Amino acid sequence: MGEGNFLNLLKTTGYTLGPVGLSNQNNTLSHGTLVTSATTILAFKYKGGVLVAGDRRATAGTTVMYDRADKVIDIDSHAVMAIAGVPATAFEMARVLEHSFKYYRRSQLQELSLEGKVRALSRLLKDNIPMAIQGIGAVAPIFAAYDPKIKEGRIYFYDILGAEFEGVEFATSGSGSPGIRGVLHYQNKWEERPVSALPQKEAVILALRLLETAAEFDAATGGVKKSANVFPIIKTINDAGVQEIPLDVLNRLYEEQVVGSHV
Amino acid sequence: MFDEPYRWVEAVSNRREYLEEQLKAASPVIALPCLEGILLLSVSAGTQKLYEIYDRIALGAMGHPADVERLRNVILDMAHLEGFNRSPSDVTARRLIQFGLAPAVKQAFEEISHAPYIIRLLIAELGSSDQPILYTLNYDGVFKESHQGVVLAAFGEATERAEAAMKALDDPAARPVAAVFEDALTLWALGEVTEEHVETHLKETLKERTIEGGLLSVSLNGSSKYRGITASEIKAWTGKWSDG
């Protein structure tokens, strides 16, 4: 009582993060069932804050399991977690985090610091190491939040063992991320304006193009499926909180700025 | 010592007197429905009395701060474990009171070899259709449900006085929180003094004590619907009683 640690409270009830004792190779359970995984996620700073985006595809081996997965999850009013890796573990981590931050605020009567929030996710990843090294529960998330101390958004990315890194300008993760990481580097280094100088509309266009690029080269990343109204999830974070870019805006910008280019 | 039943009954009766005496100096807590949701209000000399419990649930408390804190932690743990293991929509004020707080409080009250909880609690919930659901819990474990508004006051006469005034209010659920705040503050004063002293009492209170307000608001974005009433809102809404 009194420490405001929800994960410890959960553990007193016998809770563990994910199943234990499974052995595995190549994303399969011991009896051969494929494990669902995912993705391309990205975050970058733009003129109005931080933008976080993710595609919608979840795959198991070469099978597309789901094309409407929401991988950019609100954790609180000013923080989101974008998930890459095994959804079962990643969604559970997001749920634990969401409850942890609320529980801390309500029990300690103050917000958990951003450093505390960043470390909480790191601790969950460390608790998940046995699953990650067996290859069936690896998660490499991005965490982005508004920092009231410096009055700007910040981006953190993690490896599957829980090491945390701050992305000064941007971060990418997931199987489709290597390609777009290079694009973001190029944009920052040689384009007329760095990503952080883009207004929101251009930032959203860039995010749509990056995810289309990732989908072009990575089978585990889903592209836009306009006929089914499936678009990436794109959210912005600033002092006003987390806001999702509405579907009609994505639809319009996609139509105007993403399709119909050269090829 | 308490082997004979009448001794036990006498001890419980003494304990009731003791608790009423302890609660005499406690500041009332008011909850009223308003257009935005549910307004909670109290006045303190520094110790917080209104708390966010879960996404749509808030707590108002009078009594000993250490006892309030113990019970607050009990329902915080219960609410968050339930919300995590099942769903946030399974966390309701009724379940928290009926299965969590009331049995524990009653047991403490009747175990006369142990200290009872010196408390009166109010739990407010924005229901699934945004309707106000209010519960009061007494130190003996008795709880009541209401949908119109609740006054927690130190003694029966003050409660009756404030409740009579509450029933005469122009439907608070149809009026904005700024207007209902004035009513709630008046009801709070009636929980301490008689009608003819309300104005003076409020003027003195504003100078010397801290007004605390909380709002369970249907219009807040996100899953958490509770927010504190800000100092600037309180200043703006209590202007008629302040000197400057």
Side-chain angles (χ1 to χ4, degrees):
Chain A
M1 187 188 287
E3 64 174 28
N5 190 322
F6 182 67
L7 187 57
N8 284 356
L9 175 67
L10 265 184
K11 286 179 176 175
T12 63
T13 66
Y15 175 87
T16 55
L17 184 69
V20 292
L22 295 169
S23 62
N24 176 56
Q25 278 187 330
N26 301 327
N27 271 13
T28 60
L29 297 178
S30 52
H31 52 73
T33 308
L34 288 166
V35 176
T36 308
S37 63
T39 284
T40 299
I41 52 170
L42 62 95
F44 59 77
K45 292 179 185 175
Y46 71 101
K47 209 173 176 181
V50 169
L51 179 148
V52 187
D55 78 299
R56 309 291 297 276
R57 176 166 291 177
T59 55
T62 56
T63 306
V64 175
M65 297 294 292
Y66 192 46
D67 246 346
R68 294 169 193 268
D70 181 355
K71 302 170 190 172
V72 184
I73 303 164
D74 290 17
I75 300 298
D76 64 25
S77 63
H78 286 77
V80 302
M81 174 181 164
I83 57 171
V86 175
T89 313
F91 286 129
E92 185 75 350
M93 283 182 183
R95 258 166 33 83
V96 172
L97 271 196
E98 184 189 359
H99 270 76
S100 295
F101 296 173
K102 283 180 180 175
Y103 181 77
Y104 182 91
R105 184 183 75 233
R106 290 163 182 162
S107 64
Q108 305 302 299
L109 306 175
Q110 64 178 49
E111 278 289 338
L112 182 60
S113 67
L114 180 56
E115 293 82 357
K117 291 177 180 177
V118 169
R119 204 144 297 147
L121 178 51
S122 179
R123 186 184 164 194
L124 288 178
L125 289 161
K126 287 187 171 104
D127 281 0
N128 188 53
I129 285 175
M131 295 292 290
I133 60 177
Q134 287 180 84
I136 52 171
V139 178
I142 293 173
F143 183 80
Y146 180 74
D147 186 348
K149 272 192 205 161
I150 59 169
K151 300 192 187 311
E152 66 177 60
R154 295 172 81 169
I155 301 165
Y156 298 86
F157 59 101
Y158 299 76
D159 70 11
I160 61 170
L161 304 179
E164 70 198 37
F165 309 95
E166 182 165 4
V168 179
E169 297 288 337
F170 61 84
T172 62
S173 188
S175 54
S177 67
I180 62 167
R181 192 174 175 208
V183 177
L184 280 163
H185 178 75
Y186 183 94
Q187 168 98 22
N188 262 354
K189 189 129 182 158
W190 291 291
E191 284 295 314
E192 193 179 321
R193 287 176 301 175
V195 176
S196 58
L198 297 178
Q200 181 164 309
K201 183 181 168 187
E202 289 179 43
V204 172
I205 293 167
L206 175 62
L208 285 169
R209 287 177 177 173
L210 287 168
L211 289 171
E212 278 291 276
T213 305
E216 184 73 18
F217 299 107
D218 175 41
T221 298
V224 167
K225 198 187 275 182
K226 207 167 175 316
S227 59
N229 228 10
V230 177
F231 286 85
I233 300 288
I234 301 181
K235 292 182 180 177
T236 59
I237 310 165
N238 51 35
D239 60 344
V242 176
Q243 273 158 355
E244 183 167 350
I245 304 297
L247 199 58
D248 61 320
V249 174
L250 294 180
N251 201 335
R252 181 169 48 79
L253 292 177
Y254 180 79
E255 196 61 42
E256 291 172 2
Q257 302 288 337
V258 181
V259 292
S261 299
H262 307 300
V263 205
Chain B
M1 180 179 177
F2 301 113
D3 291 347
E4 298 149 79
Y6 74 90
R7 286 195 185 276
W8 183 82
V9 170
E10 188 185 7
V12 167
S13 175
N14 289 344
R15 165 171 289 229
R16 198 177 288 281
E17 277 175 31
Y18 163 76
L19 286 164
E20 290 291 347
E21 188 64 29
Q22 291 293 308
L23 286 167
K24 255 185 184 169
S27 174
V29 182
I30 310 296
L32 286 176
C34 59
L35 203 56
E36 291 85 348
I38 304 171
L39 169 70
L40 288 92
L41 179 141
S42 188
V43 175
S44 73
T47 315
Q48 189 169 336
K49 292 176 173 298
L50 306 177
Y51 303 94
E52 178 186 19
I53 294 298
Y54 203 66
D55 292 355
R56 304 171 73 87
I57 298 173
L59 170 75
M62 55 189 289
H64 196 290
D67 287 343
V68 170
E69 191 59 23
R70 275 160 66 192
L71 293 173
R72 187 177 77 89
N73 276 292
V74 167
I75 51 170
L76 271 175
D77 289 0
M78 189 180 166
H80 286 78
L81 285 173
E82 182 69 5
F84 182 83
N85 289 325
R86 291 201 170 96
S87 151
S89 58
D90 293 311
V91 181
T92 62
R94 184 187 65 78
R95 295 185 68 218
L96 293 177
I97 288 260
Q98 190 168 340
F99 307 126
L101 287 183
V105 169
K106 182 177 185 296
Q107 187 175 358
F109 177 69
E110 290 180 344
E111 274 184 5
I112 46 187
S113 55
H114 295 96
Y117 290 108
I118 306 170
I119 51 103
R120 275 200 185 103
L121 302 181
L122 181 165
I123 296 195
E125 178 187 4
L126 269 181
S128 53
S129 312
D130 294 337
Q131 78 279 21
I133 304 169
L134 302 164
Y135 283 91
T136 56
L137 175 68
N138 201 24
Y139 54 72
D140 55 6
V142 172
F143 60 95
K144 286 180 193 164
E145 184 177 345
S146 163
H147 298 268
Q148 312 302 326
V150 159
V151 174
L152 281 188
F155 48 95
E157 190 188 323
T159 307
E160 284 167 19
R161 193 166 57 220
E163 281 182 348
M166 185 175 71
K167 282 175 189 158
L169 289 176
D170 184 19
D171 186 14
R175 290 185 294 129
V177 62
V180 175
F181 193 88
E182 276 190 18
D183 291 339
L185 197 52
T186 305
L187 294 180
W188 173 85
L190 284 167
E192 292 215 324
V193 297
T194 51
E195 193 171 352
E196 62 270 27
H197 296 111
V198 164
E199 291 290 314
T200 317
H201 187 54
L202 282 176
K203 282 180 181 171
E204 284 169 6
T205 299
L206 282 168
K207 281 183 201 158
E208 294 160 10
R209 296 161 75 181
T210 307
I211 295 178
E212 195 184 341
L215 182 66
L216 280 166
S217 172
V218 294
S219 57
L220 275 184
N221 286 332
S223 54
S224 295
K225 298 299 181 190
Y226 182 84
R227 72 168 179 90
I229 303 290
T230 64
S232 58
E233 285 173 322
I234 289 174
K235 192 175 176 191
W237 299 343
T238 56
K240 67 188 262 193
W241 292 294
S242 63
D243 292 337

